Amino acid sequence: MRALAGLEERGIVEPQEVGEAGLSVSETSYSFRLWDYTLVVEEGIEAEVGKILHQRIGEELRARLETEGDEWAYEVYYHLRAGTDPPSSVPHGLLAANRFLRSLALQSAMRVYESLLDLLPLPSGAPGPTQRDGLARRVDVLERIARVSIHLK
């Protein structure tokens, strides 16, 4: 809390008022005043601590998906991908890319689909259900990339 108070004193973060962003009386939330500050603070955090923070943020935002629809899908994907369990972000990446497609943000959808390929490696080892499922998910994403590519031309 002292670190947070120091950031607040320096004008880097500001507390959100109760009632803003759906906060209840028992919750405290802070937001960075400028995105640049986020980057500076993120650089000062140890990599493993950063992954833990991203995982926690992703999990918190994932709860919003249940009540607010897919509006937070990209943020959930971003944080879980940067967290301690990147493969857990895949369903949210697909959801985010679909949301981008619905709003005709084709390049954003393409970036998400392409980044998902890193999380869906080619299966290795003995053939079995796990390898088939992994390959099927990868083929699905490749097909989606092909469809978006056609529209981007």
Side-chain angles (χ1 to χ4, degrees):
M1 283 308 278
R2 279 191 337 196
L4 197 53
L7 292 173
E8 186 178 357
E9 287 172 13
R10 293 172 32 211
I12 294 174
V13 297
E14 61 185 356
Q16 288 187 327
E17 297 294 322
V18 172
E20 282 185 45
L23 298 174
S24 68
V25 176
S26 63
E27 294 175 310
T28 302
S29 180
Y30 289 85
S31 60
F32 285 93
R33 295 179 64 92
L34 295 173
W35 183 250
D36 294 344
Y37 292 147
T38 304
L39 300 175
V40 169
V41 170
E42 195 171 273
E43 287 174 3
I45 296 174
E46 293 177 30
E48 198 54 39
V49 172
K51 286 181 179 187
I52 292 168
L53 289 173
H54 277 293
Q55 190 71 31
R56 285 184 59 200
I57 293 167
E59 289 167 1
E60 295 268 335
L61 292 175
R62 184 173 24 205
R64 291 185 181 185
L65 291 177
E66 295 173 11
T67 60
E68 298 177 26
D70 62 2
E71 184 174 338
W72 292 94
Y74 181 77
E75 287 79 4
V76 172
Y77 169 66
Y78 171 82
H79 287 291
L80 290 179
R81 181 181 170 85
T84 58
D85 184 20
S88 71
S89 71
V90 171
H92 307 291
L94 292 170
L95 191 61
N98 290 338
R99 182 175 170 81
F100 286 137
L101 286 177
R102 285 195 314 271
S103 64
L104 300 177
L106 301 181
Q107 291 183 343
S108 295
M110 180 66 88
R111 278 193 298 274
V112 172
Y113 285 139
E114 288 174 342
S115 70
L116 283 168
L117 290 177
D118 295 339
L119 298 172
L120 299 169
L122 290 170
S124 61
T130 304
Q131 286 76 13
R132 281 192 295 275
D133 289 345
L135 186 57
R137 291 178 90 185
R138 187 173 177 82
V139 168
D140 178 53
V141 170
L142 288 168
E143 287 174 347
R144 292 172 190 231
I145 288 171
R147 284 194 299 270
V148 173
S149 294
I150 291 169
H151 295 289
L152 285 174
K153 290 183 179 182

